[in-house]
Amino acid sequence: MGTVLKVGYVPLVDAAPLVIAAEMQFARDEGLTLELRRQPSWSAVRDLLSVGYLDLAHMLSPMPIAMSLGLAGVRVPVDALMVLSVNGNAIGTSNALADRMRDAGWGGQFQTPVETGRSLIDASQRLPRIGVPFPFSMHAELVHYWLENLGFAAPSLKIIPPPLMAEAIAADEIDAFCVGEPWGSIAVEDRVGELILPGSAIWGFAPEKVLGARRDWIEANPTAAAALMRAVSRAAQWLDAPENRTIAAEVLARSEFLDVSDHVIDRSLAGRLVPHSRSFPVAVPNFQRFHIGAANFPWRSQGEWIAMQLAKRYNQDSALARKVGKACFRADLYRKNLAGTGLDMPGASEKLEGALHERTSVASEYGRVILEPDAFFDGKTYDPA
């Protein structure tokens, strides 16, 4: 049976690296048995990881930093061992709000963050209530960064578990949402909402989910942590191979995982979203990545960027937040535990965030690392130096 690991996840397409590591036997090859424990919300993941019911978890990228800073209701040092997925979020609205946006002149283009953001605010009859899955999430960071850098007031965020987002917009509890797939597309399938913008239009290559664990667990279980990282790395590479997409969608669709149509899941994996019930699929470059572009690498500069956003919003000491954010994204363990697997890694552990507007080769051990465009929509960059 090997070492048994209790791993929590929320039913989202970006839990795929963990599901595939278990179902395609990559974990077994490393001497592991994964007990995948589906959770109803991110607060459940936080609480169960904190008390040791879970060994590791599929986590929102800001969660380890927030927990380490004591912002998430508990102060527990938690680290991101690796990034599980990049991008994968979609912003949507109720049908009524999308219609008002069109009536006010919005052209309906799916990847125009400036026009769409201004139209959203102008067409709203109040400060829009925007559903996000957790306060400490890339969803919240994207929405804040998007609207505030367009000059609007801080958005009114309401916390809704991802599987309930379509129900919330149908019940008029929220006007808009930012959520990971398949739950944005489920709102379209149920004809209660419309997708207006992919998250990647705000930040081109944003770390979405991470493999997180308490720091004391990592220190006590270094062999198991390394074995799981190797298994997940293989799963991530498998997922980004186009020929595996159909099998991946069928596995994720099963009742014990996402329990939704494999056709809806396939849209996310293919990066072809259907914005509304009357539209054809729209291709979104890099809508969701699991491995391509060094997607799994836990850049310390990304941990720092997240920490600085949290510090600004929650009145934290910026020097402490910067230190904690960098320390939580464990580039050191990624390099150590995946050494010898043939995986090429960037030569640096930090970079200028938001500077790439096209695919770019960077220094690496084997010379094969090509980073994907990572620009912020407003042209700004974040320099960790």
Side-chain angles (χ1 to χ4, degrees):
M1 188 174 184
T3 301
V4 178
L5 296 179
K6 299 168 292 184
V7 183
Y9 75 99
V10 171
L12 290 151
V13 172
D14 54 33
L18 292 170
V19 173
I20 294 302
E23 294 299 305
M24 301 303 290
Q25 309 304 324
F26 297 136
R28 186 185 66 180
D29 292 347
E30 295 289 344
L32 301 175
T33 297
L34 301 189
E35 287 188 3
L36 297 181
R37 300 188 174 185
R38 175 172 167 162
Q39 303 303 321
S41 66
W42 293 112
S43 57
V45 170
R46 173 200 61 196
D47 295 344
L48 295 175
L49 187 72
S50 298
V51 300
Y53 178 80
L54 299 173
D55 298 318
L56 306 101
H58 164 236
M59 302 183 80
L60 299 155
S61 56
M63 282 179 72
I65 299 168
M67 292 175 73
S68 297
L69 287 170
L71 296 176
V74 292
R75 184 184 293 275
V76 180
V78 174
D79 288 339
L81 290 167
M82 61 193 299
V83 176
L84 293 176
S85 63
V86 164
N87 298 340
N89 294 323
I91 295 171
T93 68
S94 66
N95 291 330
L97 180 51
D99 288 342
R100 290 201 300 274
M101 290 170 63
R102 283 192 180 83
D103 291 343
W106 179 54
Q109 291 85 0
F110 191 48
Q111 297 186 65
T112 55
V114 174
E115 178 195 2
T116 298
R118 289 173 176 163
S119 296
L120 172 66
I121 296 299
D122 290 346
S124 298
Q125 297 171 338
R126 57 196 166 201
L127 185 65
R129 304 161 298 167
I130 302 178
V132 297
F134 199 60
F136 310 105
S137 63
M138 186 52 64
H139 313 81
E141 297 309 324
L142 292 175
V143 169
H144 275 285
Y145 189 88
W146 177 41
L147 296 182
E148 290 174 13
N149 281 285
L150 286 176
F152 299 114
S156 174
L157 301 185
K158 185 169 183 178
I159 307 307
I160 309 286
L164 302 180
M165 204 65 78
E167 293 180 23
I169 206 149
D172 194 32
E173 296 173 6
I174 54 176
D175 304 299
F177 57 76
C178 181
V179 72
E181 285 293 283
W183 305 111
S185 289
I186 291 298
V188 175
E189 290 290 299
D190 292 348
R191 298 177 179 269
V192 298
E194 177 172 337
L195 303 182
I196 62 171
L197 194 72
S200 56
I202 300 171
W203 185 5
F205 215 67
E208 175 53 33
K209 301 298 189 306
V210 297
L211 177 61
R214 296 189 324 276
R215 189 169 296 169
D216 61 354
W217 186 93
I218 296 168
E219 292 171 351
N221 299 273
T223 302
L228 182 58
M229 291 174 71
R230 290 192 297 269
V232 169
S233 178
R234 287 181 63 195
Q237 293 175 60
W238 186 92
L239 280 161
D240 267 354
E243 64 269 22
N244 296 326
R245 199 178 74 222
T246 298
I247 296 174
E250 291 173 352
V251 171
L252 291 167
R254 283 162 27 187
S255 59
E256 64 266 39
F257 299 126
L258 272 63
D259 195 22
V260 300
S261 165
D262 59 334
H263 299 296
V264 175
I265 294 171
D266 185 74
R267 293 179 200 165
S268 177
L269 297 175
R272 293 182 61 82
L273 298 188
V274 176
H276 56 84
S277 59
R278 304 174 305 282
S279 69
F280 293 106
V282 175
V284 182
N286 287 329
F287 174 73
Q288 186 158 58
R289 291 298 188 191
F290 297 103
H291 176 71
I292 289 172
N296 301 130
F297 192 79
W299 294 95
R300 292 190 181 278
S301 47
Q302 293 181 343
E304 182 177 319
W305 182 88
I306 292 168
M308 296 303 287
Q309 306 309 305
L310 294 175
K312 178 175 63 176
R313 205 154 57 250
Y314 292 96
N315 298 315
Q316 298 288 299
D317 177 79
S318 60
L320 173 63
R322 180 181 290 112
K323 180 179 178 180
V324 169
K326 290 176 67 171
C328 285
F329 272 47
R330 299 300 301 269
D332 57 330
L333 291 182
Y334 187 87
R335 294 185 186 280
K336 176 183 176 181
N337 292 336
L338 294 178
T341 64
L343 182 68
D344 202 6
M345 302 185 200
S349 294
E350 298 182 1
K351 61 186 175 73
L352 182 64
E353 296 295 336
L356 302 182
H357 293 267
E358 58 187 26
R359 301 180 78 232
T360 304
S361 297
V362 296
S364 64
E365 183 176 357
Y366 304 121
R368 299 194 305 263
V369 173
I370 300 176
L371 300 184
E372 297 292 311
D374 72 342
F376 292 101
F377 84 97
D378 55 359
K380 294 180 181 177
T381 59
Y382 179 77
D383 187 351

